[in-house]
Amino acid sequence: AEPAGSADPSTYYEYKQTYKDAARPDEEIVVRGSDYTDTNDKALKVLPELEGVKDVLATGSEGFVEWEFDVRQAGLYHIALRYCPLEGKGNAIERNILVNGEVPYDDLYAVSLNRVYTAAEKERQRDEMGNELRPVQIEAPRFETVTLSGSLFNVSEPLAVYLKEGKNTLRLEAVREPMALDSIRFYQKKDEASYAQVSKGYTAGKAAETIHIEGEDAAFTSDKTLYATSDNSSPLNSPVSGSQIRMNMMGGINWRSPRQYIEWAFHVPEDGLYSIVIRGKQDYNPGQISSRRLTIDGEVPFYEANRLEFPYALGFQNYVLGDGDTVFQFELTAGDHTLRLENNVGPIGDILERLNQVVGRLNGLYKDVFMLTGSYPDADRDYNIGLALPQAAEQIAAMDKDLETIKQDYLDMVGTKGDGYGDMEKIQVQLRSFIKDIETLPARLDAFRINISNLSSWLLSSTDQPLLIDTIDLIPADGDTGRAEAGFFGKLWYDLKSFFISFFVDYNAISEGAEGGNTEAITLWLGTGRDQAQAIKAIINNGFT
């Protein structure tokens, strides 16, 4: 639904430029959800208690809720929502956010709020063949506090809105799914202290023993598709079996979108300093870096933990969390803790945001020329582009210059020339030919469109940053990180065993037959895979009569 008063909202980049000189007041305004002033939500009600929180506002999947509040000092404020998903259709929760009657910029359209999922059964289930089954994911609603951030390239950046002095209004318009709201907070989100500053305050000594976490034993996830998966490619996978399927991994290609997170629970036996070693694989996008934000017990421990990098490499790696020169140490107290990794695009987001602005200008140039030439430019006609579009030459030169800077920054960051680098070079070659003779632009308009389309496609896919996790080890500070891969002979022996076992295992079978003597089997042809066959089998076992 398109909210009123927001026919053509600007981008957040443009919004920031408009208010670049605005104050950032160091004060906090908290608005309780139950203190709403206007609504047309027919499902609206105040719940006395929900998940241990009192006087919570339950909102439906349609309609709006509005709050009026006072602001003592005008300026830019960040927004944090404390919400809890309510039972609905299982989709992400979406809300349009209007400040003083309008959506300030496009990132506040259909703001997405995650649901929370967990495995239905903590014990690993196996079929008659001894293969582990994919765990069923169910909702585990709980209150989450989220500071609103960008939707794509700027997902690492908290969004700010301008509030005037005096009376202001905030409206949440339901796009889909119900949710409960405890509070809305307007405040200044400060950067965390650096690792150098935080580590100076450490008082604990070196930890005595390693804490081992299996990646597949995640406590909570933000997405129903974030479930345990199987990988038997290495003898060091934990656990591993040459003959049976083991759900021994977490993440992978399903864990690629901005804001998706996986959270693990663990117990610390005694106070101490730990380093974190993640055995995983990031060989999905050549030349790309996967970035994750780390939180422990819901807090980012220091600034550098906002942008942990997992560079592209073939095979499994031991990623020791650090910044290249320094291995990070984490001070943990005895007791139960949580560790969360969230996809936040990382430092490449700044480059992608700048590139997105250039792509917008490229599309603008294409549209200007298209208006002159139509769909099929006449090769024999002189369109006099230089006269019809007097600013075009200057715009082309500026875009070429910006692309050169972006291209170099990208190369400095990732270290290799990936697909995006090649797409930028193609556009540059064409732009430079237009600089030499702008009148050739109409004849090559279709090629120009294709190059813009290719660059745009890469730009959108570049926020996909998969990461596969096998294990997470919290080792005593400066301890041995272990090996990520077996040596040559270890791999050879594992491959020989797997090859030998393959003669005795029927990998196509999903059942040994029913109990009670009836072992007659049927052959079922599926155009998909084992997971789908297991799903059909589960339906038959549970529901067929």
Short mmCIF file of all heavy atoms in Angstrom, two decimals, residues 45-108:
data_model
loop_
_atom_site.label_atom_id
_atom_site.label_comp_id
_atom_site.label_asym_id
_atom_site.label_seq_id
_atom_site.Cartn_x
_atom_site.Cartn_y
_atom_site.Cartn_z
N LYS A 45 -5.20 -3.90 19.70
CA LYS A 45 -5.57 -4.06 21.10
C LYS A 45 -4.31 -4.00 21.97
O LYS A 45 -3.20 -4.28 21.51
CB LYS A 45 -6.32 -5.37 21.34
CG LYS A 45 -5.57 -6.62 20.94
CD LYS A 45 -6.45 -7.85 21.14
CE LYS A 45 -5.74 -9.11 20.64
NZ LYS A 45 -6.59 -10.31 20.80
N VAL A 46 -4.52 -3.60 23.23
CA VAL A 46 -3.42 -3.55 24.19
C VAL A 46 -3.44 -4.83 25.01
O VAL A 46 -4.45 -5.16 25.64
CB VAL A 46 -3.53 -2.31 25.10
CG1 VAL A 46 -2.42 -2.33 26.16
CG2 VAL A 46 -3.46 -1.03 24.28
N LEU A 47 -2.32 -5.57 24.96
CA LEU A 47 -2.22 -6.83 25.70
C LEU A 47 -1.64 -6.54 27.09
O LEU A 47 -0.62 -5.85 27.21
CB LEU A 47 -1.32 -7.80 24.96
CG LEU A 47 -1.71 -8.14 23.51
CD1 LEU A 47 -0.67 -9.07 22.89
CD2 LEU A 47 -3.09 -8.77 23.46
N PRO A 48 -2.25 -7.06 28.14
CA PRO A 48 -1.72 -6.83 29.50
C PRO A 48 -0.29 -7.33 29.65
O PRO A 48 0.52 -6.72 30.35
CB PRO A 48 -2.69 -7.61 30.40
CG PRO A 48 -3.93 -7.74 29.59
CD PRO A 48 -3.51 -7.83 28.16
N GLU A 49 0.01 -8.46 28.96
CA GLU A 49 1.37 -9.00 29.04
C GLU A 49 1.64 -9.91 27.85
O GLU A 49 0.75 -10.63 27.39
CB GLU A 49 1.57 -9.78 30.35
CG GLU A 49 2.99 -10.28 30.54
CD GLU A 49 3.20 -10.94 31.90
OE1 GLU A 49 2.32 -10.80 32.77
OE2 GLU A 49 4.24 -11.59 32.07
N LEU A 50 2.85 -9.86 27.33
CA LEU A 50 3.28 -10.73 26.24
C LEU A 50 4.77 -11.00 26.39
O LEU A 50 5.57 -10.06 26.46
CB LEU A 50 3.00 -10.07 24.88
CG LEU A 50 3.44 -10.88 23.64
CD1 LEU A 50 2.63 -12.15 23.50
CD2 LEU A 50 3.34 -10.02 22.38
N GLU A 51 5.13 -12.27 26.46
CA GLU A 51 6.54 -12.67 26.60
C GLU A 51 7.24 -11.92 27.74
O GLU A 51 8.39 -11.52 27.64
CB GLU A 51 7.29 -12.44 25.29
CG GLU A 51 6.75 -13.17 24.09
CD GLU A 51 6.94 -14.69 24.18
OE1 GLU A 51 7.91 -15.11 24.83
OE2 GLU A 51 6.11 -15.43 23.62
N GLY A 52 6.49 -11.74 28.84
CA GLY A 52 7.06 -11.10 30.01
C GLY A 52 7.07 -9.58 29.98
O GLY A 52 7.55 -8.94 30.92
N VAL A 53 6.55 -8.98 28.92
CA VAL A 53 6.51 -7.51 28.80
C VAL A 53 5.07 -7.04 28.99
O VAL A 53 4.15 -7.58 28.37
CB VAL A 53 7.05 -7.06 27.43
CG1 VAL A 53 7.01 -5.54 27.30
CG2 VAL A 53 8.48 -7.57 27.22
N LYS A 54 4.87 -6.02 29.81
CA LYS A 54 3.52 -5.55 30.15
C LYS A 54 3.06 -4.44 29.21
O LYS A 54 3.87 -3.69 28.67
CB LYS A 54 3.47 -5.08 31.60
CG LYS A 54 3.78 -6.18 32.61
CD LYS A 54 3.63 -5.67 34.02
CE LYS A 54 3.97 -6.75 35.04
NZ LYS A 54 3.09 -7.93 34.93
N ASP A 55 1.75 -4.35 29.04
CA ASP A 55 1.08 -3.29 28.26
C ASP A 55 1.70 -3.14 26.87
O ASP A 55 2.28 -2.11 26.51
CB ASP A 55 1.17 -1.95 29.01
CG ASP A 55 0.44 -1.99 30.34
OD1 ASP A 55 -0.57 -2.71 30.43
OD2 ASP A 55 0.88 -1.31 31.28
N VAL A 56 1.52 -4.19 26.09
CA VAL A 56 2.08 -4.24 24.74
C VAL A 56 0.97 -3.98 23.73
O VAL A 56 -0.15 -4.47 23.88
CB VAL A 56 2.73 -5.62 24.48
CG1 VAL A 56 3.19 -5.74 23.04
CG2 VAL A 56 3.89 -5.83 25.44
N LEU A 57 1.29 -3.22 22.68
CA LEU A 57 0.30 -2.92 21.64
C LEU A 57 0.37 -3.97 20.55
O LEU A 57 1.41 -4.12 19.88
CB LEU A 57 0.56 -1.53 21.05
CG LEU A 57 -0.47 -1.06 20.02
CD1 LEU A 57 -1.81 -0.77 20.69
CD2 LEU A 57 0.04 0.18 19.28
N ALA A 58 -0.72 -4.71 20.34
CA ALA A 58 -0.79 -5.70 19.27
C ALA A 58 -1.45 -5.06 18.06
O ALA A 58 -2.56 -4.53 18.15
CB ALA A 58 -1.60 -6.92 19.73
N THR A 59 -0.76 -5.09 16.92
CA THR A 59 -1.29 -4.49 15.69
C THR A 59 -1.56 -5.57 14.66
O THR A 59 -0.91 -6.63 14.66
CB THR A 59 -0.29 -3.47 15.11
OG1 THR A 59 0.90 -4.15 14.69
CG2 THR A 59 0.08 -2.43 16.15
N GLY A 60 -2.49 -5.30 13.75
CA GLY A 60 -2.87 -6.26 12.73
C GLY A 60 -2.04 -6.12 11.47
O GLY A 60 -1.05 -5.40 11.41
N SER A 61 -2.48 -6.79 10.42
CA SER A 61 -1.77 -6.78 9.14
C SER A 61 -2.31 -5.71 8.19
O SER A 61 -1.84 -5.61 7.06
CB SER A 61 -1.88 -8.16 8.47
OG SER A 61 -3.24 -8.53 8.31
N GLU A 62 -3.29 -4.92 8.65
CA GLU A 62 -3.84 -3.83 7.84
C GLU A 62 -4.07 -2.61 8.73
O GLU A 62 -4.23 -2.73 9.95
CB GLU A 62 -5.16 -4.24 7.18
CG GLU A 62 -5.03 -5.38 6.18
CD GLU A 62 -6.38 -5.77 5.58
OE1 GLU A 62 -7.41 -5.29 6.11
OE2 GLU A 62 -6.39 -6.52 4.61
N GLY A 63 -4.09 -1.43 8.12
CA GLY A 63 -4.38 -0.21 8.87
C GLY A 63 -3.12 0.46 9.39
O GLY A 63 -2.00 0.01 9.16
N PHE A 64 -3.33 1.57 10.12
CA PHE A 64 -2.20 2.34 10.62
C PHE A 64 -2.38 2.61 12.11
O PHE A 64 -3.47 2.53 12.67
CB PHE A 64 -2.05 3.67 9.87
CG PHE A 64 -3.12 4.68 10.19
CD1 PHE A 64 -3.02 5.52 11.30
CD2 PHE A 64 -4.24 4.82 9.37
CE1 PHE A 64 -4.00 6.45 11.60
CE2 PHE A 64 -5.24 5.74 9.66
CZ PHE A 64 -5.11 6.56 10.78
N VAL A 65 -1.25 2.93 12.74
CA VAL A 65 -1.24 3.40 14.13
C VAL A 65 -0.35 4.64 14.16
O VAL A 65 0.71 4.67 13.53
CB VAL A 65 -0.68 2.35 15.10
CG1 VAL A 65 -0.86 2.83 16.54
CG2 VAL A 65 -1.35 1.01 14.90
N GLU A 66 -0.78 5.66 14.89
CA GLU A 66 -0.02 6.92 14.92
C GLU A 66 0.21 7.37 16.36
O GLU A 66 -0.65 7.18 17.23
CB GLU A 66 -0.78 8.00 14.15
CG GLU A 66 -0.01 9.31 13.99
CD GLU A 66 -0.71 10.25 13.02
OE1 GLU A 66 -0.55 10.07 11.80
OE2 GLU A 66 -1.43 11.16 13.50
N TRP A 67 1.37 7.96 16.58
CA TRP A 67 1.74 8.50 17.89
C TRP A 67 2.12 9.96 17.74
O TRP A 67 2.74 10.35 16.75
CB TRP A 67 2.93 7.75 18.49
CG TRP A 67 2.68 6.31 18.79
CD1 TRP A 67 2.34 5.76 19.98
CD2 TRP A 67 2.77 5.23 17.85
NE1 TRP A 67 2.20 4.39 19.86
CE2 TRP A 67 2.47 4.04 18.56
CE3 TRP A 67 3.08 5.13 16.49
CZ2 TRP A 67 2.45 2.80 17.95
CZ3 TRP A 67 3.06 3.88 15.89
CH2 TRP A 67 2.76 2.73 16.62
N GLU A 68 1.74 10.77 18.72
CA GLU A 68 2.16 12.16 18.76
C GLU A 68 3.07 12.34 19.97
O GLU A 68 2.79 11.82 21.06
CB GLU A 68 0.95 13.09 18.88
CG GLU A 68 1.30 14.56 18.75
CD GLU A 68 0.05 15.45 18.83
OE1 GLU A 68 -0.31 15.84 19.97
OE2 GLU A 68 -0.54 15.73 17.77
N PHE A 69 4.19 13.04 19.78
CA PHE A 69 5.16 13.19 20.87
C PHE A 69 5.86 14.54 20.75
O PHE A 69 5.85 15.17 19.68
CB PHE A 69 6.18 12.05 20.85
CG PHE A 69 6.89 11.90 19.54
CD1 PHE A 69 8.13 12.49 19.33
CD2 PHE A 69 6.33 11.17 18.48
CE1 PHE A 69 8.78 12.37 18.13
CE2 PHE A 69 6.98 11.05 17.27
CZ PHE A 69 8.20 11.65 17.08
N ASP A 70 6.45 14.98 21.84
CA ASP A 70 7.13 16.27 21.90
C ASP A 70 8.64 16.11 21.72
O ASP A 70 9.23 15.15 22.23
CB ASP A 70 6.87 16.97 23.24
CG ASP A 70 5.43 17.43 23.35
OD1 ASP A 70 4.92 18.03 22.39
OD2 ASP A 70 4.80 17.17 24.40
N VAL A 71 9.23 17.04 21.00
CA VAL A 71 10.68 17.07 20.80
C VAL A 71 11.20 18.43 21.29
O VAL A 71 10.73 19.47 20.84
CB VAL A 71 11.04 16.87 19.31
CG1 VAL A 71 12.54 17.02 19.09
CG2 VAL A 71 10.56 15.50 18.83
N ARG A 72 12.16 18.39 22.20
CA ARG A 72 12.69 19.63 22.75
C ARG A 72 13.68 20.32 21.81
O ARG A 72 13.73 21.54 21.76
CB ARG A 72 13.36 19.36 24.10
CG ARG A 72 12.39 19.04 25.22
CD ARG A 72 13.09 19.03 26.55
NE ARG A 72 14.13 17.99 26.61
CZ ARG A 72 14.94 17.82 27.65
NH1 ARG A 72 14.84 18.61 28.71
NH2 ARG A 72 15.84 16.86 27.64
N GLN A 73 14.46 19.52 21.08
CA GLN A 73 15.46 20.10 20.20
C GLN A 73 15.37 19.47 18.82
O GLN A 73 15.44 18.25 18.67
CB GLN A 73 16.86 19.89 20.78
CG GLN A 73 17.95 20.58 19.97
CD GLN A 73 19.33 20.41 20.59
OE1 GLN A 73 19.46 19.90 21.69
NE2 GLN A 73 20.36 20.85 19.88
N ALA A 74 15.19 20.29 17.79
CA ALA A 74 15.09 19.77 16.43
C ALA A 74 16.42 19.17 15.98
O ALA A 74 17.49 19.58 16.42
CB ALA A 74 14.69 20.91 15.48
N GLY A 75 16.32 18.18 15.09
CA GLY A 75 17.54 17.56 14.57
C GLY A 75 17.29 16.18 14.04
O GLY A 75 16.13 15.73 13.91
N LEU A 76 18.38 15.49 13.72
CA LEU A 76 18.31 14.12 13.19
C LEU A 76 18.38 13.11 14.33
O LEU A 76 19.22 13.23 15.23
CB LEU A 76 19.46 13.88 12.21
CG LEU A 76 19.39 14.62 10.88
CD1 LEU A 76 20.70 14.48 10.13
CD2 LEU A 76 18.24 14.08 10.02
N TYR A 77 17.49 12.12 14.28
CA TYR A 77 17.43 11.09 15.31
C TYR A 77 17.38 9.71 14.64
O TYR A 77 16.74 9.54 13.60
CB TYR A 77 16.17 11.25 16.18
CG TYR A 77 16.15 12.47 17.06
CD1 TYR A 77 15.79 13.72 16.55
CD2 TYR A 77 16.47 12.39 18.41
CE1 TYR A 77 15.76 14.84 17.36
CE2 TYR A 77 16.44 13.51 19.24
CZ TYR A 77 16.07 14.74 18.71
OH TYR A 77 16.04 15.84 19.51
N HIS A 78 18.04 8.75 15.26
CA HIS A 78 17.89 7.36 14.84
C HIS A 78 16.63 6.78 15.48
O HIS A 78 16.16 7.29 16.50
CB HIS A 78 19.11 6.54 15.24
CG HIS A 78 20.38 7.02 14.59
ND1 HIS A 78 21.52 7.33 15.30
CD2 HIS A 78 20.68 7.26 13.29
CE1 HIS A 78 22.46 7.73 14.46
NE2 HIS A 78 21.97 7.70 13.24
N ILE A 79 16.11 5.69 14.88
CA ILE A 79 14.86 5.09 15.36
C ILE A 79 15.10 3.63 15.73
O ILE A 79 15.65 2.86 14.92
CB ILE A 79 13.75 5.14 14.29
CG1 ILE A 79 13.58 6.55 13.74
CG2 ILE A 79 12.43 4.63 14.87
CD1 ILE A 79 12.58 6.62 12.60
N ALA A 80 14.70 3.24 16.93
CA ALA A 80 14.77 1.85 17.37
C ALA A 80 13.38 1.37 17.74
O ALA A 80 12.63 2.07 18.43
CB ALA A 80 15.72 1.69 18.55
N LEU A 81 13.00 0.19 17.26
CA LEU A 81 11.71 -0.42 17.59
C LEU A 81 11.94 -1.66 18.45
O LEU A 81 12.84 -2.47 18.15
CB LEU A 81 10.97 -0.83 16.31
CG LEU A 81 10.66 0.25 15.28
CD1 LEU A 81 9.92 -0.38 14.09
CD2 LEU A 81 9.83 1.37 15.87
N ARG A 82 11.14 -1.82 19.47
CA ARG A 82 11.14 -3.06 20.26
C ARG A 82 9.83 -3.77 19.96
O ARG A 82 8.76 -3.29 20.34
CB ARG A 82 11.29 -2.77 21.75
CG ARG A 82 11.49 -4.05 22.56
CD ARG A 82 12.00 -3.75 23.96
NE ARG A 82 12.37 -4.98 24.65
CZ ARG A 82 11.74 -5.46 25.74
NH1 ARG A 82 10.72 -4.78 26.25
NH2 ARG A 82 12.13 -6.59 26.29
N TYR A 83 9.93 -4.88 19.25
CA TYR A 83 8.73 -5.53 18.74
C TYR A 83 8.80 -7.03 18.96
O TYR A 83 9.87 -7.60 19.26
CB TYR A 83 8.59 -5.25 17.24
CG TYR A 83 9.54 -6.05 16.38
CD1 TYR A 83 9.12 -7.22 15.74
CD2 TYR A 83 10.87 -5.67 16.22
CE1 TYR A 83 10.01 -7.97 14.97
CE2 TYR A 83 11.75 -6.40 15.46
CZ TYR A 83 11.32 -7.56 14.84
OH TYR A 83 12.20 -8.31 14.09
N CYS A 84 7.66 -7.67 18.78
CA CYS A 84 7.56 -9.13 18.88
C CYS A 84 6.64 -9.60 17.75
O CYS A 84 5.53 -9.09 17.61
CB CYS A 84 7.01 -9.55 20.23
SG CYS A 84 6.82 -11.36 20.42
N PRO A 85 7.08 -10.55 16.92
CA PRO A 85 6.20 -11.06 15.86
C PRO A 85 4.98 -11.77 16.45
O PRO A 85 5.06 -12.44 17.49
CB PRO A 85 7.09 -12.07 15.12
CG PRO A 85 8.49 -11.73 15.51
CD PRO A 85 8.41 -11.19 16.90
N LEU A 86 3.84 -11.58 15.81
CA LEU A 86 2.63 -12.31 16.18
C LEU A 86 2.30 -13.31 15.09
O LEU A 86 2.76 -13.19 13.95
CB LEU A 86 1.46 -11.33 16.37
CG LEU A 86 1.60 -10.31 17.50
CD1 LEU A 86 0.39 -9.38 17.51
CD2 LEU A 86 1.76 -11.00 18.85
N GLU A 87 1.51 -14.30 15.44
CA GLU A 87 1.18 -15.35 14.49
C GLU A 87 0.48 -14.78 13.26
O GLU A 87 -0.48 -14.01 13.36
CB GLU A 87 0.28 -16.39 15.15
CG GLU A 87 -0.02 -17.58 14.25
CD GLU A 87 -0.86 -18.64 14.94
OE1 GLU A 87 -1.14 -18.49 16.15
OE2 GLU A 87 -1.25 -19.61 14.28
N GLY A 88 0.99 -15.12 12.09
CA GLY A 88 0.41 -14.65 10.84
C GLY A 88 0.59 -15.68 9.76
O GLY A 88 0.40 -16.88 10.00
N LYS A 89 1.01 -15.24 8.59
CA LYS A 89 1.18 -16.15 7.45
C LYS A 89 2.63 -16.59 7.27
O LYS A 89 2.96 -17.25 6.29
CB LYS A 89 0.69 -15.48 6.16
CG LYS A 89 -0.80 -15.15 6.19
CD LYS A 89 -1.24 -14.47 4.91
CE LYS A 89 -2.74 -14.14 4.95
NZ LYS A 89 -3.18 -13.45 3.71
N GLY A 90 3.49 -16.21 8.21
CA GLY A 90 4.87 -16.66 8.15
C GLY A 90 5.79 -15.80 7.32
O GLY A 90 6.96 -16.14 7.14
N ASN A 91 5.30 -14.67 6.80
CA ASN A 91 6.15 -13.77 6.03
C ASN A 91 6.86 -12.79 6.95
O ASN A 91 6.52 -12.66 8.12
CB ASN A 91 5.31 -12.98 5.01
CG ASN A 91 4.60 -13.87 4.02
OD1 ASN A 91 5.21 -14.75 3.43
ND2 ASN A 91 3.31 -13.67 3.85
N ALA A 92 7.86 -12.10 6.40
CA ALA A 92 8.50 -11.03 7.16
C ALA A 92 7.47 -9.92 7.43
O ALA A 92 6.56 -9.69 6.63
CB ALA A 92 9.70 -10.47 6.40
N ILE A 93 7.62 -9.26 8.55
CA ILE A 93 6.74 -8.14 8.91
C ILE A 93 7.20 -6.91 8.15
O ILE A 93 8.40 -6.63 8.07
CB ILE A 93 6.81 -7.89 10.42
CG1 ILE A 93 6.35 -9.14 11.19
CG2 ILE A 93 5.98 -6.68 10.82
CD1 ILE A 93 6.79 -9.16 12.63
N GLU A 94 6.25 -6.17 7.56
CA GLU A 94 6.60 -4.96 6.81
C GLU A 94 5.71 -3.80 7.22
O GLU A 94 4.50 -3.97 7.39
CB GLU A 94 6.48 -5.20 5.30
CG GLU A 94 7.54 -6.15 4.75
CD GLU A 94 7.47 -6.30 3.25
OE1 GLU A 94 6.59 -5.67 2.63
OE2 GLU A 94 8.29 -7.05 2.69
N ARG A 95 6.34 -2.64 7.38
CA ARG A 95 5.62 -1.42 7.76
C ARG A 95 6.17 -0.23 6.97
O ARG A 95 7.39 -0.10 6.79
CB ARG A 95 5.78 -1.12 9.25
CG ARG A 95 5.13 -2.13 10.19
CD ARG A 95 3.63 -2.10 10.09
NE ARG A 95 2.96 -2.96 11.06
CZ ARG A 95 2.67 -4.24 10.87
NH1 ARG A 95 3.04 -4.83 9.74
NH2 ARG A 95 2.04 -4.94 11.79
N ASN A 96 5.26 0.64 6.49
CA ASN A 96 5.65 1.96 5.99
C ASN A 96 5.78 2.88 7.20
O ASN A 96 4.95 2.84 8.11
CB ASN A 96 4.61 2.54 5.04
CG ASN A 96 4.51 1.74 3.75
OD1 ASN A 96 5.51 1.24 3.23
ND2 ASN A 96 3.30 1.64 3.21
N ILE A 97 6.80 3.72 7.21
CA ILE A 97 7.03 4.61 8.35
C ILE A 97 6.91 6.05 7.88
O ILE A 97 7.67 6.49 7.00
CB ILE A 97 8.41 4.35 8.98
CG1 ILE A 97 8.44 2.91 9.54
CG2 ILE A 97 8.70 5.37 10.08
CD1 ILE A 97 9.70 2.53 10.23
N LEU A 98 5.96 6.76 8.44
CA LEU A 98 5.71 8.15 8.07
C LEU A 98 6.06 9.05 9.25
O LEU A 98 5.66 8.78 10.39
CB LEU A 98 4.24 8.38 7.69
CG LEU A 98 3.76 7.80 6.36
CD1 LEU A 98 3.48 6.31 6.45
CD2 LEU A 98 2.51 8.54 5.90
N VAL A 99 6.82 10.10 8.98
CA VAL A 99 7.18 11.09 9.99
C VAL A 99 6.53 12.41 9.60
O VAL A 99 6.73 12.90 8.50
CB VAL A 99 8.71 11.25 10.09
CG1 VAL A 99 9.07 12.33 11.10
CG2 VAL A 99 9.37 9.93 10.46
N ASN A 100 5.69 12.90 10.49
CA ASN A 100 4.96 14.15 10.24
C ASN A 100 4.21 14.10 8.90
O ASN A 100 4.25 15.04 8.10
CB ASN A 100 5.89 15.35 10.29
CG ASN A 100 6.46 15.57 11.69
OD1 ASN A 100 5.75 15.38 12.69
ND2 ASN A 100 7.73 15.93 11.77
N GLY A 101 3.56 12.97 8.65
CA GLY A 101 2.64 12.85 7.52
C GLY A 101 3.22 12.36 6.22
O GLY A 101 2.49 12.23 5.24
N GLU A 102 4.54 12.08 6.16
CA GLU A 102 5.10 11.61 4.90
C GLU A 102 6.26 10.64 5.14
O GLU A 102 6.89 10.66 6.19
CB GLU A 102 5.58 12.78 4.04
CG GLU A 102 6.71 13.58 4.66
CD GLU A 102 7.17 14.71 3.76
OE1 GLU A 102 6.48 14.99 2.77
OE2 GLU A 102 8.22 15.30 4.06
N VAL A 103 6.49 9.79 4.13
CA VAL A 103 7.65 8.91 4.15
C VAL A 103 8.86 9.76 3.74
O VAL A 103 8.92 10.24 2.61
CB VAL A 103 7.48 7.72 3.19
CG1 VAL A 103 8.75 6.87 3.16
CG2 VAL A 103 6.29 6.87 3.60
N PRO A 104 9.83 9.96 4.61
CA PRO A 104 10.93 10.90 4.31
C PRO A 104 11.80 10.46 3.13
O PRO A 104 12.28 11.29 2.37
CB PRO A 104 11.75 10.92 5.60
CG PRO A 104 10.83 10.40 6.66
CD PRO A 104 9.93 9.44 5.97
N TYR A 105 12.03 9.15 2.97
CA TYR A 105 12.87 8.64 1.89
C TYR A 105 12.53 7.18 1.65
O TYR A 105 11.83 6.53 2.46
CB TYR A 105 14.36 8.81 2.21
CG TYR A 105 14.73 8.47 3.63
CD1 TYR A 105 15.01 7.16 4.02
CD2 TYR A 105 14.82 9.47 4.60
CE1 TYR A 105 15.33 6.85 5.32
CE2 TYR A 105 15.14 9.17 5.91
CZ TYR A 105 15.41 7.85 6.26
OH TYR A 105 15.72 7.56 7.56
N ASP A 106 13.02 6.63 0.54
CA ASP A 106 12.54 5.32 0.08
C ASP A 106 12.90 4.16 1.01
O ASP A 106 12.23 3.13 1.00
CB ASP A 106 13.01 5.03 -1.34
CG ASP A 106 14.52 5.13 -1.50
OD1 ASP A 106 15.22 5.30 -0.48
OD2 ASP A 106 15.00 5.05 -2.65
N ASP A 107 13.95 4.30 1.83
CA ASP A 107 14.31 3.20 2.73
C ASP A 107 13.27 2.99 3.83
O ASP A 107 13.31 1.96 4.52
CB ASP A 107 15.67 3.47 3.38
CG ASP A 107 16.82 2.97 2.53
OD1 ASP A 107 16.66 1.90 1.92
OD2 ASP A 107 17.86 3.63 2.45
N LEU A 108 12.35 3.95 4.02
CA LEU A 108 11.31 3.79 5.03
C LEU A 108 10.00 3.29 4.42
O LEU A 108 8.97 3.25 5.10
CB LEU A 108 11.08 5.10 5.78
CG LEU A 108 12.26 5.54 6.66
CD1 LEU A 108 11.92 6.82 7.42
CD2 LEU A 108 12.67 4.44 7.63
#
